[in-house]
Amino acid sequence: MNKPLVLLLALAAASLAPAARAGGNLDCQLRYNLSGWSLIYKTASGNGTLQCSNGATMPVRIQLKGGGLTVGKSKITNGRGSFTGAVGINELLGTYASVGAHAGAVKSSNAQVMTKGDVSLALSGTGKGWDLGVDGTAFTISRR
């Protein structure tokens, strides 16, 4: 996917995200690896680590499930995510929702913004594989 389109999708998704609570100002990051496939149904799984500015860390498991008009296979290594609106690390666990369009071949980039109540998650990553489609996705983070 070309970088201007990725940036446009990320900005569009960010404008739909709810504003973070005034008290939810903990700076937290997600580092992850993820691999999966799609053919109408989309699935991927992986592992990662949450780390917050207050020193809290947590190993996590990631599950991605969705559906739509989509086909492909991909692997993301060294993906990164940034959270806004959280007051504690446990609040980052749960399922985030997003809708997006994507296309890529061989080496592809991805940027996406997802929400779960008042908490938003902005993801970015590069990987290998190919994909094409429009889909709705549930991105679930659970304790490992």
Side-chain angles (χ1 to χ4, degrees), residues 131-144:
D131 62 336
L132 177 65
V134 176
D135 60 34
T137 302
F139 187 90
T140 303
I141 302 171
S142 58
R143 189 180 304 268
R144 194 166 16 126

Side-chain angles (χ1 to χ4, degrees), residues 104-142:
V106 185
K107 258 195 146 177
S108 60
S109 296
N110 188 19
Q112 203 167 18
V113 175
M114 306 177 164
T115 61
K116 177 184 75 97
D118 291 332
V119 180
S120 293
L121 169 59
L123 295 172
S124 64
T126 57
K128 296 179 180 179
W130 58 276
D131 62 336
L132 177 65
V134 176
D135 60 34
T137 302
F139 187 90
T140 303
I141 302 171
S142 58

Side-chain angles (χ1 to χ4, degrees), residues 68-83:
L69 301 173
T70 180
V71 62
K73 182 176 180 178
S74 62
K75 181 177 184 176
I76 296 173
T77 54
N78 298 315
R80 296 175 181 254
S82 295
F83 295 90

Side-chain angles (χ1 to χ4, degrees), residues 30 46-50 58-63 89-90 92-96 139-144:
L30 170 66
N47 292 313
T49 302
L50 294 172
M58 180 188 303
V60 294
R61 177 161 173 72
I62 300 167
Q63 288 288 123
I89 196 166
N90 289 319
L92 305 177
L93 302 174
T95 300
Y96 295 78
F139 187 90
T140 303
I141 302 171
S142 58
R143 189 180 304 268
R144 194 166 16 126

Side-chain angles (χ1 to χ4, degrees), residues 2 11 28-29 31 33 41-43 57 59 75-76 86 95 100 103 114 118 123 127 142:
N2 65 33
L11 290 174
C28 297
Q29 306 294 313
R31 301 289 185 258
N33 296 317
Y41 180 75
K42 181 177 185 177
T43 184
T57 61
K75 181 177 184 176
I76 296 173
T95 300
M114 306 177 164
D118 291 332
L123 295 172
S142 58

